[in-house]
Amino acid sequence: MIGVVQCGFGAVTMVLADEHEAAPRPMESRTIAVDGPEIDARTWVDLVGELWGAMGSPHLRGLGITSPGRGLVVLDSAREPLCPVWDDDRSAPDAGWCTKKFPPEWWASEIGRIPTAVQPVTKMSWLHRSEPEIWKRAGRFLHVHEFVTSELAGDGVDVTDATGAVGSGWFDERRHRHHPEVLALIDRDRDWRDALPHVEAGPQIVGTWRSMPLVTGATLDVESMSDPTSPSVPLMFARIVTAVGS
């Protein structure tokens, strides 16, 4: 049995599947509603344990976390969240500012997507511009799935892969790097070397939780993960099988 947890802004869902099937499909799922659009990042971590217990505490051969690409977790040097994770369009002016500094065709070529108000890169810009005291204390910037995975592993090591990093707005998938020009655009004076997660080429086991392997997460359409017809379902289960073996 393998499992996926969807950390959304409206609900958190755990979905289980048989990894021995040629195309693993959801066998059982359970959902707990959450109250967005602003959420304490640790809420998602707590709900993983609650869902797992509600489903009978199954032993899984692999567990992966997904989240929407629009969530930004901001941590201080002690890995404490400095602000809620928000899901609104307050950074719309920053998206416009980003495309003024670099034209849309530059973003499309270098990053593969044009900045919008929901992307973490514009949320970082908004935070830098609007919350300077929080920005000064910020030491780490993560997607929701990256934060939840590292918190479950309990080792304080943030690891993702290219599928998990592409939604950020600062990851250059073609060169497999956090794009230095984008990061300098947000804050030229910050030392970015330890501020972002390490990015693996593909899905990896990055730790364990309750003796179960944790696999690098992904930014996927979490609203449809429990729908067997959603393309997100076989994609995420296939990632876990790739990492843990069939």
Side-chain angles (χ1 to χ4, degrees), residues 9 36-41 44 69-74 82-92 94 117-128 130-131 134-135 141 144:
F9 284 95
E38 290 193 353
I39 299 174
D40 183 328
W44 285 297
R70 58 188 186 269
L72 176 68
V73 180
V74 183
L82 289 171
C83 58
V85 183
W86 71 89
D87 182 29
D88 58 40
D89 63 355
R90 72 186 71 174
S91 62
D94 299 85
V118 300
Q119 288 178 346
V121 67
T122 61
K123 295 185 176 189
M124 283 206 307
S125 174
W126 179 88
L127 199 69
H128 181 227
S130 304
E131 298 287 352
I134 290 178
W135 186 260
F141 303 91
V144 172

Side-chain angles (χ1 to χ4, degrees), residues 16-75:
L16 304 182
D18 182 352
E19 79 275 20
H20 298 297
E21 292 185 353
R25 63 185 188 277
M27 297 172 55
E28 182 181 359
S29 67
R30 186 165 298 219
T31 297
I32 297 176
V34 293
D35 186 17
E38 290 193 353
I39 299 174
D40 183 328
R42 295 202 181 279
T43 298
W44 285 297
V45 180
D46 295 340
L47 289 179
V48 172
E50 187 174 334
L51 279 167
W52 181 71
M55 297 186 79
S57 305
H59 183 76
L60 305 174
R61 291 197 61 234
L63 177 65
I65 310 297
T66 69
S67 67
R70 58 188 186 269
L72 176 68
V73 180
V74 183
L75 306 178

Side-chain angles (χ1 to χ4, degrees), residues 102-182:
F102 297 134
E105 54 269 24
W106 184 93
W107 289 95
S109 173
E110 295 293 316
I111 303 299
R113 59 198 65 208
I114 298 168
T116 67
V118 300
Q119 288 178 346
V121 67
T122 61
K123 295 185 176 189
M124 283 206 307
S125 174
W126 179 88
L127 199 69
H128 181 227
R129 174 174 61 85
S130 304
E131 298 287 352
E133 292 308 313
I134 290 178
W135 186 260
K136 288 177 184 177
R137 296 173 57 200
R140 202 76 163 166
F141 303 91
L142 305 171
H143 276 115
V144 172
H145 64 82
E146 295 161 355
F147 172 73
V148 173
T149 300
S150 62
E151 288 298 295
L152 292 175
D155 56 9
V157 177
D158 301 308
V159 181
T160 189
D161 63 38
T163 302
V166 290
S168 63
W170 61 70
F171 184 69
D172 176 1
E173 189 174 14
R174 183 160 49 97
R175 301 181 184 88
H176 195 83
R177 62 175 184 169
H178 300 302
H179 203 300
E181 290 183 68
V182 175

